[in-house]
Amino acid sequence: MPSTTETRPRLFTGQHLPLVLGVIGLVTLGAFENRAVGTALPTMVREFDALGSFGLANAAPNASYLISLAIAGLWSDRRGPIPTLRAGAISFALAQILVGTATAMPMVIAGRLLSGLAEGLLDVSLVVLVARALPAVLRPRMFSLFAAMWILPSVLGPVLTGVVTEQFGWRWVFLGAIVLLVPSWLLLGPAMRQSATAEAPERTAEDVAELEAWRAALPWALAASVALFSMTLAGDHLQAHPIICGTTVVVALAVLARAAVRVMPAGTFVARRGFPAVVAVRALGGAAFAVSGAYLPLLLTLQHHFSPSKAGVTLSITGVCWAFGSWLQGRDHGIERVTVLRAGLAFMAIGLLVTSLLAWTDGTTCIGLIGWGLAGIGMGLSSSSLSVLTLDLSDHSNSGRNSSAGQMAATMSIATGLAISGTLLAFNSDNPRPWVFGSIVTAGGVLALLGFLAAPRCRRARALESSGPSAVGQG
């Protein structure tokens, strides 16, 4: 009789290997592109004599990513993940060509908008493909691989991009990515064929109503994208035009808040038990970690006199520790998923509070960076666990919408956090005091703590055992 270990499904077997390698290729490619832009963009704006477009080029993909998530969720649930995945890959290739052959900054910005669109389509469709092609027991390990694929781009991406930019020119950073896209796509072929031939899920009247509600929310997702773009752009020019840009930020925040209510699942803002709580915790954890991490290099540079390259160590810590935490949650530990999530959020809360010592004290930076590493492990544990819980609380008819809802919540909460913290920094830009950075990082720790308190509600509600998560709207 074969043993349990022999019959247990594994990721790296003949059946699942092409899917795993294809997904790894696409995620790694996206991660390198993400890290490469930050290194190549300063050279690009100088070459086009368009330094004033730097903020616009950075903000463009965030805006298009938000509306792309909404479209991808609806499209994947209605037509399956393959058309969405195909559109994402084509958009990615076109974005790289547009930026790589740009003759002026408007082409670069158009390419960046297309890049954000591609990222949203790929992110959602890959999660849906994993949900349909892999058994539930393998999903935690697959999501740990998602995180692990950011290690090399985080550590080597800036260096490799710098070498390519200096030796061959920044254009090849983008054009070279197209070459790597082809083998990744070919490896996904078997899984895509399997998904294409799978029987379409039966739709209940409730599910049809949810689809219609999600479609009705698309204009609000577009409004959120415009608000996000406007808010980021206004924040960059707040010091030069305080009244106009300050008013723009306030209006954009109001629109973003209203849009969040319309596009998030009902019960999100009170962390109602089940999927709404998962979305709420994703928003809290995402903002806590991302906003704090955005200001760490600047904090280390201004207050601890790190060189720019040395301050970039936070990116390496983020990539390695996040991947380690995600690897831990993917082990066969037998611990309940919500318990793993709470452990991750506890690590993040404690880690961020320790990290805040970098601002509040002038002591050794070692302790603060250890705290950031602990927060990274917590993010790896919690982020991957939230992805697993999202699929556990979904079925084939709504996994796309649920995946996009969680990512949209994180995107909007991060954007809001960056706008508020950016405004705080802008009003103190002449001489940023330690309390500015200390307040930002400490607030991140408080958000993570709120996520920890809400995490027990991420279990399926008894009343919903036989039905899917609540419809969109009135969160």
Side-chain angles (χ1 to χ4, degrees), residues 35 146-155 289 312-326 372 376-377 380:
R35 293 292 186 246
F146 273 48
M149 291 309 102
W150 280 78
I151 294 180
L152 281 179
S154 296
V155 176
F289 190 77
V313 71
T314 58
L315 286 176
S316 300
I317 293 174
T318 299
V320 173
C321 292
W322 186 327
F324 178 65
S326 190
W372 181 241
I377 294 173

Side-chain angles (χ1 to χ4, degrees), residues 33 91-101 115 173-175 177-178:
E33 194 264 353
S91 299
F92 180 85
L94 290 176
Q96 306 315 302
I97 292 172
L98 199 57
V99 176
T101 60
S115 179
V173 172
F174 301 95
L175 295 175
I178 302 172

Side-chain angles (χ1 to χ4, degrees), residues 284-296 299 318 344-360 367-379 382 437-451:
L284 290 167
F289 190 77
V291 176
S292 299
Y295 287 92
L296 277 186
L299 164 60
T318 299
L345 290 163
F347 285 168
M348 195 192 305
I350 295 170
L352 289 174
L353 293 175
V354 172
T355 304
S356 71
L357 296 177
L358 289 169
W360 296 123
I367 295 175
L369 291 176
I370 288 173
W372 181 241
L374 184 62
I377 294 173
M379 188 60 180
S382 59
F437 296 108
S439 299
I440 292 170
V441 182
T442 302
V446 173
L447 290 177
L449 180 60
L450 290 175

